[in-house]
Amino acid sequence: MAASGASGYNPAMTDAQTPSDAKNIPWGFLLTLSLVAGLAELAFVVVNVSSLPVFLKDGLGKPILSGVAMGTFYLFQALGNSPMGHLADRFGRRRLMVLGALLSVLTCLGTSQVRFPEGGSLLVPVLLLLLLRAIDGVGAAMFWPAVFAAIGDKISQDRQAQAMTVLNGAYFAGIAVGPLIGGLMNDTLAGQLLPSDPHRYAPSFYLAAGCFLLCAIFSYVVAPRKGEHHHAPSVDGDDTHAAAASVAAVLRACKRVPWLMLMGFLIFLVVGVISPYAKPYFMERFGMSETQFGSALLFPALLIGAVSVPLGKLSDKWGKTRSVRLGLGLCALALWGILWASSPPLVMILGGLLGVGFAVAFPSYMAHLGELAAPGERGSLIGAVQMAQGIGALCGAGIGASLQTRTDGNHVAFLVSGVVLTLGFVMSLFFVREPEKSTSQ
C-alpha cells in the first residue's frame, strides 16, 4: 500500500488529526477505550474461560460441551467479523460496540439459567446453550473489530504500536484478572453450595453481565461516530449490501495479506485448543480451587501491566515487523516450558513470559494490519483477518474437544499447541514485513 508522500495524505490520519498534532496521542480517548477493552475481555474470560468450563463440567455434568460451546462462539464470531467490520466502517464504531456489548449482557444472564433435566431430553437445553453462545459470538464480532479499528481512526500511524500496547495491557489485565475475580465471586457468594449445584456459578455470570453493561455505556461515550473515522469514502460504495461487501472484503484480504491471515489462523487455533480446558486442567493437575487458580494468574497480570507501556514505546522504535517476530518467538518458548513445568510457581513465571510475548506481538500485529488498509476499509480488513482468527479458534476448539476422549488429552493439546505456535513464529520470519513506501510525488 502506498504510504503518504509529498501529497500529505496519511491513511492513518483522521479528520480529528492534522499534520501538526499527528505525533500526539489523545490519552483521554485511549485510556477510556482501553478501559472498555479491559472490561470486555475480563467479561469474556469470566464466561468463556473461567465459568463456563466448570459450570458445564461440575455444575451440569457435561464436560464435553465445553469445546462444543466454545466452538459455537468462535464459529459465529468468525462468520460475523468481516460483515460487522464493514458495518463499523459504514455506520461508525459506536453503534457496533454498544450493540455488541448489550448482546453479551443478555447472553451472560441467559447462560446462567441453563439447566439439564435429569432423565429428560437434553435437546432443548443444549440448543438453548448453543444459541446463547452463537449470539455471544455475534456480539463479539460486532465489538472487537470496531475497537481495534478505532485505534487507527484516532491515532497517527507512528504512535499506533504504542497505543495498541496500552490497549493490549488493559486487554491482558482482563484476561489475567478474570479467572480470579470470577472464582472469588463464586467461592465467596456461593461457596456454601456444592460444585455440582449449577447455582454456584451464577455470581460470575452476573459479574460478566455487569462488565458488559459498563462497556456499552463507556463505548457510547468514547467510540468514534459515523463520519469521524476517515477522509475517503468506503471502497464498497454507499449502497452495497453488507453481506456482499463483507465477501468482497474477505477476498481483498485473501489477495493482499494471505499469509497474515494464515498466521492469525494458526495462532488462534492454539487459543481454541487449550482455552476451553486450561482451567479444569490446571485445577486438577495442581489441586487448585477456583480462587487459587485465579490467584496464580496475578503475577502474569502484574508483569504485563508493568511492561505494557514501555514495550509499546520500544515496539515503535523496533518497528512492527521485529516486534511481531520477537513476541511470537517468546510465546512459543514459554508455551513449551509450560508443557513441561512441574510446579505452579514455574507455570506462573512462564505464563508471565507468554503474556509479555503476546503483549509485544499482538499490538504490533494489529497496528501492522491497520496501516495496510485505507481508512475507509480499515474495519473491513481487520474484520476479515479476525474472521480467519476465529475460524482457527473454532478448529482448535474442535481439536481440543476430540482430544478429551484420551486420558492424556490435555497434555497432547499443549503439545499440539506448541508445534502450531512455533510454526506461526517461523511464518512471521518470512511473511511479516514492513509495508512498501511509495516514492511517487
Side-chain angles (χ1 to χ4, degrees):
M1 184 183 71
S4 58
S7 65
Y9 172 69
N10 185 336
M13 192 178 296
T14 70
D15 295 332
Q17 294 170 327
T18 65
S20 63
D21 67 0
K23 292 184 178 298
N24 297 326
I25 292 179
W27 285 104
F29 161 79
L30 179 58
L31 293 177
T32 307
L33 187 69
S34 298
L35 175 63
V36 170
L39 285 171
E41 191 58 22
L42 185 152
F44 278 119
V45 168
V46 165
V47 173
N48 291 315
V49 178
S50 180
S51 296
L52 192 61
V54 290
F55 175 62
L56 293 173
K57 177 179 180 290
D58 298 326
L60 299 179
K62 305 294 179 184
I64 193 64
L65 284 179
S66 294
V68 178
M70 186 72 82
T72 302
F73 171 85
Y74 286 141
L75 172 62
F76 281 85
Q77 183 182 20
L79 294 176
N81 270 326
S82 183
M84 296 306 167
H86 166 74
L87 290 176
D89 283 336
R90 186 175 181 186
F91 297 111
R93 317 301 181 199
R94 183 177 70 171
R95 295 181 184 180
L96 275 295
M97 290 171 63
V98 171
L99 182 56
L102 291 178
L103 284 179
S104 293
V105 171
L106 297 177
T107 59
C108 289
L109 297 177
T111 301
S112 70
Q113 303 304 312
V114 172
R115 300 290 185 270
F116 293 158
E118 294 185 8
S121 173
L122 299 180
L123 179 62
V124 172
V126 168
L127 290 178
L128 176 59
L129 173 69
L130 298 183
L131 175 62
L132 290 167
R133 305 318 305 138
I135 295 173
D136 203 27
V138 173
M142 290 179 174
F143 186 82
W144 287 112
V147 169
F148 289 116
I151 290 290
D153 294 343
K154 291 288 190 178
I155 296 175
S156 60
Q157 183 173 318
D158 60 346
R159 292 292 183 267
Q160 285 180 21
Q162 181 181 350
M164 284 287 188
T165 304
V166 175
L167 183 96
N168 204 59
Y171 176 94
F172 255 100
I175 291 176
V177 177
L180 173 61
I181 297 179
L184 278 173
M185 291 289 291
N186 292 337
D187 289 343
T188 303
L189 300 182
Q192 73 279 8
L193 301 177
L194 295 174
S196 58
D197 189 336
H199 293 93
R200 176 186 172 88
Y201 308 97
S204 56
F205 285 110
Y206 297 156
L207 168 69
C211 289
F212 280 125
L213 182 59
L214 288 175
C215 286
I217 295 171
F218 286 120
S219 294
Y220 185 85
V221 174
V222 73
R225 279 71 163 170
K226 180 181 178 181
E228 291 184 352
H229 57 282
H230 57 79
H231 297 292
S234 172
V235 295
D236 295 317
D238 292 336
D239 298 322
T240 304
H241 192 275
S246 66
V247 171
V250 171
L251 293 177
R252 286 196 304 273
C254 290
K255 183 177 180 180
R256 293 179 61 182
V257 291
W259 296 111
L260 290 179
M261 293 183 73
L262 179 58
M263 192 174 75
F265 170 88
L266 292 175
I267 293 170
F268 277 79
L269 185 142
V270 172
V271 174
V273 168
I274 62 178
S275 60
Y277 305 101
K279 181 176 179 178
Y281 170 54
F282 284 109
M283 287 175 63
E284 292 179 3
R285 180 176 169 184
F286 297 115
M288 296 177 170
S289 67
E290 281 197 74
T291 302
Q292 289 171 333
F293 174 81
S295 298
L297 297 180
L298 281 181
F299 172 76
L302 294 173
L303 179 61
I304 294 166
V307 303
S308 288
V309 174
L311 284 177
K313 293 181 179 179
L314 287 175
S315 295
D316 282 327
K317 294 181 179 180
W318 292 336
K320 301 176 183 65
T321 297
R322 190 177 301 174
S323 298
V324 171
R325 294 170 178 173
L326 177 64
L328 286 179
L330 185 58
C331 286
L333 287 174
L335 187 58
W336 281 111
I338 290 172
L339 179 65
W340 304 109
S342 58
S343 66
L346 183 56
V347 171
M348 289 167 54
I349 294 172
L350 291 169
L353 294 178
L354 178 66
V356 168
F358 200 82
V360 172
F362 191 68
S364 296
Y365 174 70
M366 297 306 296
H368 180 59
L369 290 172
E371 73 178 7
L372 291 176
E377 62 176 359
R378 187 175 290 120
S380 299
L381 179 65
I382 292 176
V385 173
Q386 289 193 319
M387 184 191 74
Q389 295 171 356
I391 293 173
L394 168 65
C395 295
I399 294 171
S402 66
L403 290 175
Q404 296 307 302
T405 60
R406 298 171 55 107
T407 56
D408 60 346
N410 285 309
H411 180 80
V412 175
F414 273 85
L415 182 63
V416 170
S417 298
V419 171
V420 173
L421 192 55
T422 302
L423 178 59
F425 162 67
V426 173
M427 288 183 64
S428 73
L429 299 178
F430 293 94
F431 301 115
V432 179
R433 301 174 181 174
E434 296 294 338
E436 297 180 0
K437 296 184 179 295
S438 173
T439 58
S440 62
Q441 300 296 318

